Amino acid sequence: MKNHPAGKSTSFSVILHLFLGFALLLAFSGCGDDEEPYQPPEDPPVEYRSDGELVEGFESAYEGRDLKAYLNCLDPDFRFILHPDTQARYPDLGPSLDFSQEDRIHGRMFSGEAVADPVGNPQPGVQGIAFNKLLALDSMQPTDDQNNFPGALWAPFDIELLIDCGPAFTTYRAEGRLKIYVRRYIRMSGGKEVEYYLLAGMVDMTDSGKGVENTPWGLIKVFYR
């Protein structure tokens, strides 16, 4: 009988510890409600082993309106040099678009949703994108522009790009010449060198034309900035 009170105390202590442990567990599990859920690492990006593969991958990503795949093609220092007419129309933008601007523009363009540009002008949602033509006119050569694209290779391309905004709107067409610059990288894998290519930049030489039927590619991008 003398041990009975001690037994009750021990049982109570065990129950109390279990209760406190359970309460603590609930508290910790609830404290992350406002935090971002854990995301597993993304799959490694596709690596393009040649400039030809890179251009094909870029074309596929653009036509598929796949933002992640498109950005995967771009060098972190990617630069899209705007057509002189576009620069004159939007002098505040400067001569080029960088990686972060490309990210924002294409996130909006690829969404399919109508958007408004920074000054409030409405832009229709893009319903489809197609390259009728993306043809290299020469093989890749060492860069002709060390200031903007140091260490890159480049080639001129003949392009015709159609951006369909639905039956209620005129389809944008960008047609003419485009300079494409690529940069070669090397990384080590299993003790061996592996080379891959990224887009260092582009120079927009597509025609201005009259009206929205024939529009510099960079100007179309600027509409969705």
Side-chain angles (χ1 to χ4, degrees), residues 75-192:
D75 188 277
D77 293 326
F78 179 86
R79 181 176 298 182
F80 186 95
I81 306 295
L82 297 167
H83 190 285
D85 289 351
T86 306
Q87 295 183 40
R89 183 168 174 176
Y90 294 96
D92 58 307
L93 281 177
S96 64
L97 302 173
D98 62 18
F99 185 99
S100 63
Q101 290 169 308
E102 290 282 326
D103 186 358
R104 172 177 166 79
I105 286 167
H106 291 91
R108 290 155 63 85
M109 186 187 294
F110 291 173
S111 73
E113 301 295 330
V115 299
D117 68 16
V119 296
N121 297 319
Q123 299 299 328
V126 172
Q127 305 304 307
I129 297 177
F131 282 98
N132 282 353
K133 191 188 305 180
L134 184 60
L135 177 65
L137 301 176
D138 201 351
S139 58
M140 288 283 174
Q141 303 293 330
T143 184
D144 64 344
D145 187 349
Q146 286 287 357
N147 289 329
N148 288 312
F149 309 107
L153 301 169
W154 82 282
F157 281 73
D158 191 15
I159 78 162
E160 182 183 0
L161 174 65
L162 301 180
I163 298 181
D164 178 13
C165 297
F169 301 93
T170 302
T171 296
Y172 287 118
R173 176 186 288 106
E175 187 174 9
R177 296 293 174 87
L178 179 75
K179 289 184 174 183
I180 294 182
Y181 293 79
V182 305
R183 191 167 283 122
R184 176 175 173 263
Y185 287 94
I186 296 177
R187 66 174 180 82
M188 298 301 296
S189 177
K192 296 181 180 180

Side-chain angles (χ1 to χ4, degrees), residues 51-70:
D51 57 90
E53 282 187 11
L54 174 60
V55 173
E56 289 177 1
F58 152 73
E59 180 180 4
S60 176
Y62 215 84
E63 289 186 327
R65 292 184 287 159
D66 186 332
L67 180 62
K68 180 180 175 181
Y70 171 58

